[in-house]
């Protein structure tokens, strides 16, 4: 029996370096996602530590984010309400919620381009699912979102805004998290391979900030309103923003949000499955 076991061990390769086929790469990517979600408590702890280390030694800590957001909302709210000839009572809650939600989206996308490259030492030193780094970044940005949500809550209480169909926030939040993972996997891998991706994405985000209904209401474009549905950020913002503002949510917005998300998820699966094994060499 011992001789048989020894012969079996000699036949089994210690390390299989043969390239994976399509199904093998898909299974490896699914295993990475599964193992990374199992380490979610670790990723959440790392995300919280990132926030603490960023504001180490500060008296207010991460609440500096809240103060900064509050000042920006107040300043831009008064200015643009006058420029757009809008009632401050109606405009300020819209602006506060839009800026907070956009802050999460833009920061997450910017950080996704370096989510793997900035962890190059960890990736090369230890064998860890790449999903852990994505979970860490998402957790960090969700914590920042919660801090900034205090500003939105204060504005809603001051102006008496009542959310409408709050239960719609739950599927919207779920879609946001799924899209966050897709962005992390797609842009994170592309950013690790091509170092021009981060500045390109930063420039595009600045453009989308002005062409997306964030500081202006979609009703202002009149008959061109249906064209802004092609903006991938507008439906995603609207499905979260509209119920919180107590406004009815058109079904077309959910349809476009799901369509944009389906394209993003398919692209992320394709890229992450095809090139996941090369991340350690690219970073």
């Amino acid at each position: 029996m011992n001789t048989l076991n020894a012969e079996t061990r000699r036949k089994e390769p210690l390390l299989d370096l043969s390239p994976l086929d399509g199904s093998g790469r898909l299974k490896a990517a699914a295993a990475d996602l599964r193992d990374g979600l199992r380490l979610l408590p670790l990723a959440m702890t790392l995300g919280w530590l990132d926030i603490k280390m960023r504001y180490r030694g500060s008296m207010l800590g991460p609440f500096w984010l809240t103060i900064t957001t509050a000042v920006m909302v107040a300043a831009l709210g008064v200015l643009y309400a006058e420029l757009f000839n809008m009632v401050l009572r109606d405009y300020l809650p819209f602006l506060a919620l839009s800026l907070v939600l956009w802050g999460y989206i833009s920061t997450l996308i910017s950080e996704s381009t370096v989510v793997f490259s900035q962890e190059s030492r960890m990736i090369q030193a230890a064998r860890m699912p790449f999903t852990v780094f994505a979970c860490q970044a998402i957790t960090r940005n969700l914590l920042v979102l919660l801090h900034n949500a205090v500003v939105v809550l204060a504005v809603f209480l001051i102006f008496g805004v009542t959310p409408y169909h709050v239960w719609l926030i739950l599927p919207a939040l779920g879609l946001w998290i799924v899209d966050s993972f897709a962005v992390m996997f797609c842009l994170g891998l592309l950013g690790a391979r091509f170092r021009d991706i981060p500045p390109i994405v930063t420039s595009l985000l600045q453009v989308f900030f002005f062409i997306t209904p964030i500081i202006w209401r979609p009703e202002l474009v009149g008959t061109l309103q249906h064209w802004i549905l092609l903006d991938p950020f507008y439906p995603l913002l609207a499905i979260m923003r509209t119920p919180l503002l107590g406004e009815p949510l058109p079904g077309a917005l959910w349809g476009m949000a799901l369509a944009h998300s389906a394209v993003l998820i398919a692209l992320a699966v394709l890229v992450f499955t095809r090139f996941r094994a090369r991340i350690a060499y690219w970073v």
Side-chain angles (χ1 to χ4, degrees):
M1 182 64 69
N2 293 333
T3 304
L4 180 61
N5 291 336
E7 292 178 356
T8 303
R9 286 195 296 267
R10 283 196 297 268
K11 292 179 180 180
E12 293 179 353
L14 296 177
L15 181 62
D16 187 4
L17 298 177
S18 59
L20 297 175
D21 56 7
S23 60
R25 289 194 296 264
L26 183 60
K27 291 179 181 179
D32 188 294
L33 179 62
R34 182 182 63 251
D35 295 339
L37 293 178
R38 287 176 179 174
L39 296 174
L40 184 59
L42 172 62
M44 295 176 65
T45 302
L46 293 175
W48 172 245
L49 287 176
D50 288 341
I51 298 294
K52 292 185 65 177
M53 293 298 294
R54 183 183 302 178
Y55 295 94
R56 183 178 55 182
S58 172
M59 294 180 61
L60 295 178
F63 283 101
W64 275 114
L65 299 170
T66 306
I67 296 174
T68 303
T69 303
V71 172
M72 183 170 60
V73 167
L76 293 181
V78 174
L79 174 62
Y80 284 102
E82 185 68 23
L83 290 176
F84 296 146
N85 195 23
M86 301 182 67
V87 180
L88 187 63
R89 182 184 185 88
D90 297 330
Y91 179 66
L92 196 59
F94 170 85
L95 179 66
L97 183 57
S98 299
L99 288 178
V100 169
L101 294 177
W102 176 256
Y104 171 83
I105 293 175
S106 60
T107 305
L108 182 87
I109 293 176
S110 298
E111 293 184 357
S112 68
T113 59
V114 294
V115 66
F116 297 134
S117 58
Q118 70 181 2
E119 300 291 346
S120 58
R121 293 184 179 179
M122 179 65 72
I123 292 174
Q124 294 172 355
R127 186 175 182 179
M128 183 178 295
F130 297 112
T131 306
V132 172
F133 305 112
C135 292
Q136 177 183 351
I138 294 172
T139 300
R140 182 171 62 246
N141 284 279
L142 285 176
L143 291 174
V144 173
L145 178 63
L146 290 177
H147 280 91
N148 291 333
V150 175
V151 178
V152 178
L153 179 61
V155 172
F156 279 21
L157 291 176
I158 292 173
F159 293 100
V161 178
T162 303
Y164 179 78
H165 288 170
V166 184
W167 60 271
L168 290 174
I169 300 173
L170 296 179
L173 181 61
L175 186 62
W176 273 46
I177 294 176
V178 172
D179 285 353
S180 297
F181 276 103
V183 168
M184 284 288 167
F185 291 146
C186 186
L187 290 182
L189 198 147
L190 293 177
R193 177 62 181 88
F194 304 103
R195 299 309 167 94
D196 295 327
I197 294 296
I200 291 174
V201 169
T202 300
S203 300
L204 290 176
L205 287 174
Q206 293 176 353
V207 174
F208 275 104
F209 175 77
F210 292 103
I211 67 176
T212 303
I214 299 171
I215 60 176
W216 50 274
R217 281 188 170 274
E219 296 83 4
L220 295 177
V221 296
T223 56
L224 298 177
Q225 186 174 347
H226 62 282
W227 286 105
I228 62 177
L229 289 174
L230 298 178
D231 181 349
F233 297 108
Y234 170 54
L236 195 63
L237 278 170
I239 61 175
M240 182 72 75
R241 180 176 61 191
T242 304
L244 288 174
L245 290 174
E247 301 172 355
L249 179 63
L253 289 174
W254 258 109
M256 291 303 297
L258 291 173
H260 291 313
S261 297
V263 174
L264 176 61
I265 293 170
L267 182 61
V269 170
L270 177 63
V271 172
F272 189 66
T273 301
R274 180 66 179 84
F275 301 107
R276 184 192 65 87
R278 304 183 185 182
I279 295 178
Y281 301 97
W282 287 346
V283 296

